[in-house]
Amino acid sequence: KQEVTQIPAALSVPEGENLVLNCSFTDSAIYNLQWFRQDPGKGLTSLLLIQSSQREQTSGRLNASLDKSSGRSTLYIAASQPGDSATYLCAVNNNDMRFGAGTRLTVKP
Amino acid sequence: DAGVIQSPRHEVTEMGQEVTLRCKPISGHNSLFWYRQTMMRGLELLIYFNNNVPIDDSGMPEDRFSAKMPNASFSTLKIQPSEPRDSAVYFCASSRQRGRTYEQYFGPGTRLTVT
């Protein structure tokens, strides 16, 4: 059974800092990995999808990498802004969708 | 596109009552997922459909839960009878399946409170 872990559980940084969120999974036979953000009381917003054959994906200030063999993905956020404050979740697909518990990010002005 | 639509957004009901949650996926998407989110257990996949057919319902907690997808534009998740421990936010997500890859888009969720 796939286990997905996100570290850290919470992170607080000053505005402008670059930061890295981590996602690890136990079964490397995945088809894709997706990063989401969730604002309090809201649904999930898709940020980036990485297919199993890809190493990274970029969208604006976000860059997600995937290392299947080591069971890890990272989400890099450049020049963080207060509007980036949210919970970030990774989801792993290997015919069984598994989500991590998320990292709660606070960016202080 | 309006995105994934869920109704109702909030539901408060008494223990023992039947609850029906509704979902309209994004037009053209052929996969639909039902999730439950709680503080204790996070996001859990309950069931998903491909082309209106249930593929994996191993996450459905008990026989009190049932889901249907009568056509490509509508799905329901029913709880009967409801219990206080069913209180959670229920999300529906849809995806256009490409091979074994799913890029999921989530609805706003239904917050269910069972008293």
Side-chain angles (χ1 to χ4, degrees), chain B residues 43-74:
Chain B
L43 259 171
E44 301 173 282
L45 177 66
L46 301 177
I47 185 171
Y48 77 95
F49 297 82
N50 275 354
N51 298 313
N52 313 337
V53 176
I55 302 301
D56 183 359
D57 64 355
S58 59
M60 297 284 262
E62 346 180 343
D63 292 345
R64 299 184 296 106
F65 286 70
S66 63
K68 293 183 180 180
M69 191 163 187
N71 56 62
S73 59
F74 183 67

PDB file of all heavy atoms in Angstrom, chain B residues 43-74:
ATOM      1  N   LEU B  43      -7.129  13.463   3.225  1.00  0.00           N
ATOM      2  CA  LEU B  43      -7.918  13.180   2.031  1.00  0.00           C
ATOM      3  C   LEU B  43      -7.877  11.689   1.725  1.00  0.00           C
ATOM      4  O   LEU B  43      -6.801  11.111   1.566  1.00  0.00           O
ATOM      5  CB  LEU B  43      -7.355  13.934   0.835  1.00  0.00           C
ATOM      6  CG  LEU B  43      -8.051  15.196   0.399  1.00  0.00           C
ATOM      7  CD1 LEU B  43      -7.234  15.919  -0.634  1.00  0.00           C
ATOM      8  CD2 LEU B  43      -9.433  14.906  -0.167  1.00  0.00           C
ATOM      9  N   GLU B  44      -9.044  11.089   1.602  1.00  0.00           N
ATOM     10  CA  GLU B  44      -9.131   9.654   1.314  1.00  0.00           C
ATOM     11  C   GLU B  44      -9.977   9.454   0.061  1.00  0.00           C
ATOM     12  O   GLU B  44     -11.074  10.011  -0.036  1.00  0.00           O
ATOM     13  CB  GLU B  44      -9.819   8.913   2.456  1.00  0.00           C
ATOM     14  CG  GLU B  44      -9.159   9.025   3.802  1.00  0.00           C
ATOM     15  CD  GLU B  44     -10.050   8.393   4.860  1.00  0.00           C
ATOM     16  OE1 GLU B  44     -11.035   9.031   5.266  1.00  0.00           O
ATOM     17  OE2 GLU B  44      -9.748   7.255   5.275  1.00  0.00           O
ATOM     18  N   LEU B  45      -9.476   8.638  -0.849  1.00  0.00           N
ATOM     19  CA  LEU B  45     -10.250   8.287  -2.037  1.00  0.00           C
ATOM     20  C   LEU B  45     -11.310   7.264  -1.646  1.00  0.00           C
ATOM     21  O   LEU B  45     -10.996   6.225  -1.063  1.00  0.00           O
ATOM     22  CB  LEU B  45      -9.337   7.708  -3.106  1.00  0.00           C
ATOM     23  CG  LEU B  45     -10.017   7.222  -4.382  1.00  0.00           C
ATOM     24  CD1 LEU B  45     -10.647   8.382  -5.145  1.00  0.00           C
ATOM     25  CD2 LEU B  45      -9.023   6.481  -5.278  1.00  0.00           C
ATOM     26  N   LEU B  46     -12.556   7.575  -1.984  1.00  0.00           N
ATOM     27  CA  LEU B  46     -13.650   6.654  -1.692  1.00  0.00           C
ATOM     28  C   LEU B  46     -13.921   5.720  -2.861  1.00  0.00           C
ATOM     29  O   LEU B  46     -14.009   4.498  -2.714  1.00  0.00           O
ATOM     30  CB  LEU B  46     -14.923   7.438  -1.347  1.00  0.00           C
ATOM     31  CG  LEU B  46     -14.823   8.384  -0.149  1.00  0.00           C
ATOM     32  CD1 LEU B  46     -16.138   9.150   0.023  1.00  0.00           C
ATOM     33  CD2 LEU B  46     -14.475   7.625   1.113  1.00  0.00           C
ATOM     34  N   ILE B  47     -14.053   6.313  -4.051  1.00  0.00           N
ATOM     35  CA  ILE B  47     -14.392   5.540  -5.238  1.00  0.00           C
ATOM     36  C   ILE B  47     -14.032   6.353  -6.465  1.00  0.00           C
ATOM     37  O   ILE B  47     -14.017   7.586  -6.395  1.00  0.00           O
ATOM     38  CB  ILE B  47     -15.906   5.183  -5.254  1.00  0.00           C
ATOM     39  CG1 ILE B  47     -16.273   4.277  -6.432  1.00  0.00           C
ATOM     40  CG2 ILE B  47     -16.755   6.446  -5.268  1.00  0.00           C
ATOM     41  CD1 ILE B  47     -17.709   3.735  -6.359  1.00  0.00           C
ATOM     42  N   TYR B  48     -13.710   5.669  -7.575  1.00  0.00           N
ATOM     43  CA  TYR B  48     -13.594   6.419  -8.810  1.00  0.00           C
ATOM     44  C   TYR B  48     -14.191   5.644  -9.978  1.00  0.00           C
ATOM     45  O   TYR B  48     -14.266   4.403  -9.955  1.00  0.00           O
ATOM     46  CB  TYR B  48     -12.166   6.896  -9.084  1.00  0.00           C
ATOM     47  CG  TYR B  48     -11.169   5.897  -9.606  1.00  0.00           C
ATOM     48  CD1 TYR B  48     -10.911   5.771 -10.980  1.00  0.00           C
ATOM     49  CD2 TYR B  48     -10.421   5.126  -8.733  1.00  0.00           C
ATOM     50  CE1 TYR B  48      -9.955   4.896 -11.449  1.00  0.00           C
ATOM     51  CE2 TYR B  48      -9.461   4.249  -9.198  1.00  0.00           C
ATOM     52  CZ  TYR B  48      -9.228   4.145 -10.552  1.00  0.00           C
ATOM     53  OH  TYR B  48      -8.264   3.262 -11.019  1.00  0.00           O
ATOM     54  N   PHE B  49     -14.614   6.410 -10.969  1.00  0.00           N
ATOM     55  CA  PHE B  49     -15.284   5.890 -12.165  1.00  0.00           C
ATOM     56  C   PHE B  49     -14.455   6.244 -13.394  1.00  0.00           C
ATOM     57  O   PHE B  49     -13.872   7.329 -13.478  1.00  0.00           O
ATOM     58  CB  PHE B  49     -16.663   6.548 -12.350  1.00  0.00           C
ATOM     59  CG  PHE B  49     -17.658   6.275 -11.250  1.00  0.00           C
ATOM     60  CD1 PHE B  49     -17.633   7.011 -10.068  1.00  0.00           C
ATOM     61  CD2 PHE B  49     -18.632   5.299 -11.408  1.00  0.00           C
ATOM     62  CE1 PHE B  49     -18.563   6.773  -9.067  1.00  0.00           C
ATOM     63  CE2 PHE B  49     -19.564   5.058 -10.416  1.00  0.00           C
ATOM     64  CZ  PHE B  49     -19.530   5.799  -9.237  1.00  0.00           C
ATOM     65  N   ASN B  50     -14.418   5.330 -14.343  1.00  0.00           N
ATOM     66  CA  ASN B  50     -13.934   5.617 -15.693  1.00  0.00           C
ATOM     67  C   ASN B  50     -15.055   5.336 -16.658  1.00  0.00           C
ATOM     68  O   ASN B  50     -15.636   4.231 -16.632  1.00  0.00           O
ATOM     69  CB  ASN B  50     -12.721   4.746 -16.057  1.00  0.00           C
ATOM     70  CG  ASN B  50     -11.420   5.321 -15.569  1.00  0.00           C
ATOM     71  OD1 ASN B  50     -11.371   6.426 -15.041  1.00  0.00           O
ATOM     72  ND2 ASN B  50     -10.353   4.569 -15.739  1.00  0.00           N
ATOM     73  N   ASN B  51     -15.363   6.314 -17.502  1.00  0.00           N
ATOM     74  CA  ASN B  51     -16.448   6.133 -18.475  1.00  0.00           C
ATOM     75  C   ASN B  51     -17.715   5.613 -17.808  1.00  0.00           C
ATOM     76  O   ASN B  51     -18.373   4.681 -18.309  1.00  0.00           O
ATOM     77  CB  ASN B  51     -15.996   5.200 -19.606  1.00  0.00           C
ATOM     78  CG  ASN B  51     -14.832   5.782 -20.379  1.00  0.00           C
ATOM     79  OD1 ASN B  51     -14.836   6.958 -20.765  1.00  0.00           O
ATOM     80  ND2 ASN B  51     -13.802   4.971 -20.597  1.00  0.00           N
ATOM     81  N   ASN B  52     -18.044   6.190 -16.673  1.00  0.00           N
ATOM     82  CA  ASN B  52     -19.268   5.921 -15.908  1.00  0.00           C
ATOM     83  C   ASN B  52     -19.258   4.581 -15.189  1.00  0.00           C
ATOM     84  O   ASN B  52     -20.254   4.215 -14.553  1.00  0.00           O
ATOM     85  CB  ASN B  52     -20.525   6.009 -16.792  1.00  0.00           C
ATOM     86  CG  ASN B  52     -20.553   7.233 -17.665  1.00  0.00           C
ATOM     87  OD1 ASN B  52     -19.906   8.231 -17.378  1.00  0.00           O
ATOM     88  ND2 ASN B  52     -21.298   7.146 -18.756  1.00  0.00           N
ATOM     89  N   VAL B  53     -18.178   3.836 -15.270  1.00  0.00           N
ATOM     90  CA  VAL B  53     -18.117   2.509 -14.645  1.00  0.00           C
ATOM     91  C   VAL B  53     -17.250   2.593 -13.383  1.00  0.00           C
ATOM     92  O   VAL B  53     -16.136   3.122 -13.444  1.00  0.00           O
ATOM     93  CB  VAL B  53     -17.514   1.479 -15.613  1.00  0.00           C
ATOM     94  CG1 VAL B  53     -17.350   0.128 -14.926  1.00  0.00           C
ATOM     95  CG2 VAL B  53     -18.383   1.360 -16.859  1.00  0.00           C
ATOM     96  N   PRO B  54     -17.744   2.081 -12.247  1.00  0.00           N
ATOM     97  CA  PRO B  54     -16.908   2.109 -11.036  1.00  0.00           C
ATOM     98  C   PRO B  54     -15.700   1.194 -11.192  1.00  0.00           C
ATOM     99  O   PRO B  54     -15.848   0.023 -11.552  1.00  0.00           O
ATOM    100  CB  PRO B  54     -17.859   1.626  -9.940  1.00  0.00           C
ATOM    101  CG  PRO B  54     -18.937   0.862 -10.656  1.00  0.00           C
ATOM    102  CD  PRO B  54     -19.064   1.482 -11.999  1.00  0.00           C
ATOM    103  N   ILE B  55     -14.514   1.739 -10.940  1.00  0.00           N
ATOM    104  CA  ILE B  55     -13.280   0.990 -11.119  1.00  0.00           C
ATOM    105  C   ILE B  55     -12.744   0.479  -9.786  1.00  0.00           C
ATOM    106  O   ILE B  55     -12.314  -0.663  -9.676  1.00  0.00           O
ATOM    107  CB  ILE B  55     -12.206   1.846 -11.823  1.00  0.00           C
ATOM    108  CG1 ILE B  55     -12.706   2.334 -13.186  1.00  0.00           C
ATOM    109  CG2 ILE B  55     -10.901   1.073 -11.951  1.00  0.00           C
ATOM    110  CD1 ILE B  55     -13.077   1.223 -14.151  1.00  0.00           C
ATOM    111  N   ASP B  56     -12.764   1.336  -8.800  1.00  0.00           N
ATOM    112  CA  ASP B  56     -12.202   0.959  -7.502  1.00  0.00           C
ATOM    113  C   ASP B  56     -13.045   1.595  -6.411  1.00  0.00           C
ATOM    114  O   ASP B  56     -13.062   2.816  -6.273  1.00  0.00           O
ATOM    115  CB  ASP B  56     -10.754   1.432  -7.389  1.00  0.00           C
ATOM    116  CG  ASP B  56     -10.089   1.009  -6.094  1.00  0.00           C
ATOM    117  OD1 ASP B  56     -10.742   0.366  -5.250  1.00  0.00           O
ATOM    118  OD2 ASP B  56      -8.901   1.340  -5.905  1.00  0.00           O
ATOM    119  N   ASP B  57     -13.762   0.765  -5.667  1.00  0.00           N
ATOM    120  CA  ASP B  57     -14.567   1.280  -4.554  1.00  0.00           C
ATOM    121  C   ASP B  57     -14.039   0.779  -3.216  1.00  0.00           C
ATOM    122  O   ASP B  57     -14.765   0.749  -2.221  1.00  0.00           O
ATOM    123  CB  ASP B  57     -16.033   0.914  -4.717  1.00  0.00           C
ATOM    124  CG  ASP B  57     -16.262  -0.596  -4.656  1.00  0.00           C
ATOM    125  OD1 ASP B  57     -15.269  -1.354  -4.582  1.00  0.00           O
ATOM    126  OD2 ASP B  57     -17.436  -1.015  -4.683  1.00  0.00           O
ATOM    127  N   SER B  58     -12.779   0.391  -3.199  1.00  0.00           N
ATOM    128  CA  SER B  58     -12.215  -0.178  -1.974  1.00  0.00           C
ATOM    129  C   SER B  58     -12.126   0.836  -0.847  1.00  0.00           C
ATOM    130  O   SER B  58     -11.988   0.463   0.312  1.00  0.00           O
ATOM    131  CB  SER B  58     -10.824  -0.758  -2.257  1.00  0.00           C
ATOM    132  OG  SER B  58      -9.954   0.237  -2.751  1.00  0.00           O
ATOM    133  N   GLY B  59     -12.211   2.114  -1.176  1.00  0.00           N
ATOM    134  CA  GLY B  59     -12.156   3.143  -0.154  1.00  0.00           C
ATOM    135  C   GLY B  59     -13.500   3.465   0.474  1.00  0.00           C
ATOM    136  O   GLY B  59     -13.560   4.209   1.461  1.00  0.00           O
ATOM    137  N   MET B  60     -14.557   2.911  -0.062  1.00  0.00           N
ATOM    138  CA  MET B  60     -15.885   3.159   0.521  1.00  0.00           C
ATOM    139  C   MET B  60     -15.919   2.516   1.905  1.00  0.00           C
ATOM    140  O   MET B  60     -15.724   1.299   2.026  1.00  0.00           O
ATOM    141  CB  MET B  60     -16.980   2.587  -0.376  1.00  0.00           C
ATOM    142  CG  MET B  60     -17.022   3.238  -1.742  1.00  0.00           C
ATOM    143  SD  MET B  60     -17.751   4.864  -1.694  1.00  0.00           S
ATOM    144  CE  MET B  60     -19.425   4.472  -2.210  1.00  0.00           C
ATOM    145  N   PRO B  61     -16.183   3.309   2.943  1.00  0.00           N
ATOM    146  CA  PRO B  61     -15.986   2.810   4.303  1.00  0.00           C
ATOM    147  C   PRO B  61     -16.924   1.675   4.697  1.00  0.00           C
ATOM    148  O   PRO B  61     -16.517   0.770   5.401  1.00  0.00           O
ATOM    149  CB  PRO B  61     -16.175   4.061   5.174  1.00  0.00           C
ATOM    150  CG  PRO B  61     -16.862   5.056   4.316  1.00  0.00           C
ATOM    151  CD  PRO B  61     -16.563   4.725   2.918  1.00  0.00           C
ATOM    152  N   GLU B  62     -18.169   1.727   4.287  1.00  0.00           N
ATOM    153  CA  GLU B  62     -19.097   0.675   4.693  1.00  0.00           C
ATOM    154  C   GLU B  62     -20.247   0.627   3.701  1.00  0.00           C
ATOM    155  O   GLU B  62     -20.357   1.460   2.803  1.00  0.00           O
ATOM    156  CB  GLU B  62     -19.678   0.920   6.100  1.00  0.00           C
ATOM    157  CG  GLU B  62     -18.989   1.932   6.888  1.00  0.00           C
ATOM    158  CD  GLU B  62     -19.530   2.195   8.276  1.00  0.00           C
ATOM    159  OE1 GLU B  62     -20.671   1.811   8.585  1.00  0.00           O
ATOM    160  OE2 GLU B  62     -18.796   2.810   9.022  1.00  0.00           O
ATOM    161  N   ASP B  63     -21.113  -0.357   3.916  1.00  0.00           N
ATOM    162  CA  ASP B  63     -22.252  -0.525   3.014  1.00  0.00           C
ATOM    163  C   ASP B  63     -23.220   0.644   3.078  1.00  0.00           C
ATOM    164  O   ASP B  63     -24.087   0.775   2.214  1.00  0.00           O
ATOM    165  CB  ASP B  63     -23.009  -1.820   3.337  1.00  0.00           C
ATOM    166  CG  ASP B  63     -22.179  -3.047   2.996  1.00  0.00           C
ATOM    167  OD1 ASP B  63     -21.178  -2.887   2.260  1.00  0.00           O
ATOM    168  OD2 ASP B  63     -22.522  -4.144   3.441  1.00  0.00           O
ATOM    169  N   ARG B  64     -23.081   1.481   4.068  1.00  0.00           N
ATOM    170  CA  ARG B  64     -23.968   2.645   4.155  1.00  0.00           C
ATOM    171  C   ARG B  64     -23.672   3.647   3.042  1.00  0.00           C
ATOM    172  O   ARG B  64     -24.474   4.521   2.756  1.00  0.00           O
ATOM    173  CB  ARG B  64     -23.817   3.336   5.518  1.00  0.00           C
ATOM    174  CG  ARG B  64     -24.181   2.473   6.710  1.00  0.00           C
ATOM    175  CD  ARG B  64     -24.101   3.266   8.010  1.00  0.00           C
ATOM    176  NE  ARG B  64     -22.745   3.721   8.315  1.00  0.00           N
ATOM    177  CZ  ARG B  64     -22.328   4.977   8.193  1.00  0.00           C
ATOM    178  NH1 ARG B  64     -23.152   5.923   7.779  1.00  0.00           N
ATOM    179  NH2 ARG B  64     -21.086   5.295   8.503  1.00  0.00           N
ATOM    180  N   PHE B  65     -22.507   3.522   2.451  1.00  0.00           N
ATOM    181  CA  PHE B  65     -22.084   4.436   1.386  1.00  0.00           C
ATOM    182  C   PHE B  65     -22.305   3.773   0.030  1.00  0.00           C
ATOM    183  O   PHE B  65     -21.951   2.606  -0.170  1.00  0.00           O
ATOM    184  CB  PHE B  65     -20.597   4.776   1.527  1.00  0.00           C
ATOM    185  CG  PHE B  65     -20.269   5.724   2.640  1.00  0.00           C
ATOM    186  CD1 PHE B  65     -20.381   5.334   3.964  1.00  0.00           C
ATOM    187  CD2 PHE B  65     -19.834   7.014   2.361  1.00  0.00           C
ATOM    188  CE1 PHE B  65     -20.079   6.213   4.995  1.00  0.00           C
ATOM    189  CE2 PHE B  65     -19.518   7.892   3.385  1.00  0.00           C
ATOM    190  CZ  PHE B  65     -19.633   7.493   4.701  1.00  0.00           C
ATOM    191  N   SER B  66     -22.867   4.532  -0.908  1.00  0.00           N
ATOM    192  CA  SER B  66     -23.010   4.050  -2.271  1.00  0.00           C
ATOM    193  C   SER B  66     -22.821   5.212  -3.235  1.00  0.00           C
ATOM    194  O   SER B  66     -23.107   6.355  -2.899  1.00  0.00           O
ATOM    195  CB  SER B  66     -24.372   3.386  -2.484  1.00  0.00           C
ATOM    196  OG  SER B  66     -25.418   4.325  -2.293  1.00  0.00           O
ATOM    197  N   ALA B  67     -22.313   4.915  -4.415  1.00  0.00           N
ATOM    198  CA  ALA B  67     -22.103   5.949  -5.425  1.00  0.00           C
ATOM    199  C   ALA B  67     -22.577   5.443  -6.775  1.00  0.00           C
ATOM    200  O   ALA B  67     -22.458   4.255  -7.073  1.00  0.00           O
ATOM    201  CB  ALA B  67     -20.633   6.345  -5.512  1.00  0.00           C
ATOM    202  N   LYS B  68     -23.109   6.380  -7.544  1.00  0.00           N
ATOM    203  CA  LYS B  68     -23.592   6.045  -8.888  1.00  0.00           C
ATOM    204  C   LYS B  68     -23.138   7.101  -9.877  1.00  0.00           C
ATOM    205  O   LYS B  68     -22.916   8.258  -9.518  1.00  0.00           O
ATOM    206  CB  LYS B  68     -25.122   5.973  -8.899  1.00  0.00           C
ATOM    207  CG  LYS B  68     -25.698   4.828  -8.094  1.00  0.00           C
ATOM    208  CD  LYS B  68     -27.217   4.791  -8.218  1.00  0.00           C
ATOM    209  CE  LYS B  68     -27.808   3.648  -7.418  1.00  0.00           C
ATOM    210  NZ  LYS B  68     -29.293   3.595  -7.515  1.00  0.00           N
ATOM    211  N   MET B  69     -23.036   6.682 -11.114  1.00  0.00           N
ATOM    212  CA  MET B  69     -22.745   7.620 -12.189  1.00  0.00           C
ATOM    213  C   MET B  69     -23.599   7.211 -13.379  1.00  0.00           C
ATOM    214  O   MET B  69     -23.149   6.447 -14.248  1.00  0.00           O
ATOM    215  CB  MET B  69     -21.267   7.637 -12.538  1.00  0.00           C
ATOM    216  CG  MET B  69     -20.895   8.789 -13.447  1.00  0.00           C
ATOM    217  SD  MET B  69     -19.142   9.106 -13.475  1.00  0.00           S
ATOM    218  CE  MET B  69     -19.127  10.614 -14.449  1.00  0.00           C
ATOM    219  N   PRO B  70     -24.833   7.667 -13.435  1.00  0.00           N
ATOM    220  CA  PRO B  70     -25.757   7.221 -14.478  1.00  0.00           C
ATOM    221  C   PRO B  70     -25.404   7.725 -15.871  1.00  0.00           C
ATOM    222  O   PRO B  70     -25.800   7.101 -16.857  1.00  0.00           O
ATOM    223  CB  PRO B  70     -27.101   7.786 -14.008  1.00  0.00           C
ATOM    224  CG  PRO B  70     -26.755   8.928 -13.104  1.00  0.00           C
ATOM    225  CD  PRO B  70     -25.459   8.574 -12.464  1.00  0.00           C
ATOM    226  N   ASN B  71     -24.650   8.837 -15.951  1.00  0.00           N
ATOM    227  CA  ASN B  71     -24.202   9.339 -17.246  1.00  0.00           C
ATOM    228  C   ASN B  71     -22.936  10.147 -17.058  1.00  0.00           C
ATOM    229  O   ASN B  71     -22.480  10.351 -15.915  1.00  0.00           O
ATOM    230  CB  ASN B  71     -25.306  10.181 -17.915  1.00  0.00           C
ATOM    231  CG  ASN B  71     -25.764  11.329 -17.049  1.00  0.00           C
ATOM    232  OD1 ASN B  71     -24.969  12.206 -16.737  1.00  0.00           O
ATOM    233  ND2 ASN B  71     -27.026  11.322 -16.646  1.00  0.00           N
ATOM    234  N   ALA B  72     -22.386  10.614 -18.146  1.00  0.00           N
ATOM    235  CA  ALA B  72     -21.066  11.260 -18.105  1.00  0.00           C
ATOM    236  C   ALA B  72     -21.076  12.615 -17.417  1.00  0.00           C
ATOM    237  O   ALA B  72     -20.016  13.175 -17.152  1.00  0.00           O
ATOM    238  CB  ALA B  72     -20.529  11.409 -19.525  1.00  0.00           C
ATOM    239  N   SER B  73     -22.261  13.144 -17.127  1.00  0.00           N
ATOM    240  CA  SER B  73     -22.302  14.497 -16.584  1.00  0.00           C
ATOM    241  C   SER B  73     -22.882  14.561 -15.175  1.00  0.00           C
ATOM    242  O   SER B  73     -23.203  15.640 -14.678  1.00  0.00           O
ATOM    243  CB  SER B  73     -23.099  15.407 -17.517  1.00  0.00           C
ATOM    244  OG  SER B  73     -24.410  14.923 -17.673  1.00  0.00           O
ATOM    245  N   PHE B  74     -23.011  13.398 -14.512  1.00  0.00           N
ATOM    246  CA  PHE B  74     -23.645  13.443 -13.205  1.00  0.00           C
ATOM    247  C   PHE B  74     -23.260  12.242 -12.362  1.00  0.00           C
ATOM    248  O   PHE B  74     -23.237  11.105 -12.852  1.00  0.00           O
ATOM    249  CB  PHE B  74     -25.168  13.481 -13.371  1.00  0.00           C
ATOM    250  CG  PHE B  74     -25.933  13.612 -12.086  1.00  0.00           C
ATOM    251  CD1 PHE B  74     -25.851  14.766 -11.328  1.00  0.00           C
ATOM    252  CD2 PHE B  74     -26.750  12.580 -11.642  1.00  0.00           C
ATOM    253  CE1 PHE B  74     -26.561  14.899 -10.148  1.00  0.00           C
ATOM    254  CE2 PHE B  74     -27.470  12.697 -10.463  1.00  0.00           C
ATOM    255  CZ  PHE B  74     -27.381  13.862  -9.707  1.00  0.00           C
TER     256      PHE B  74
END
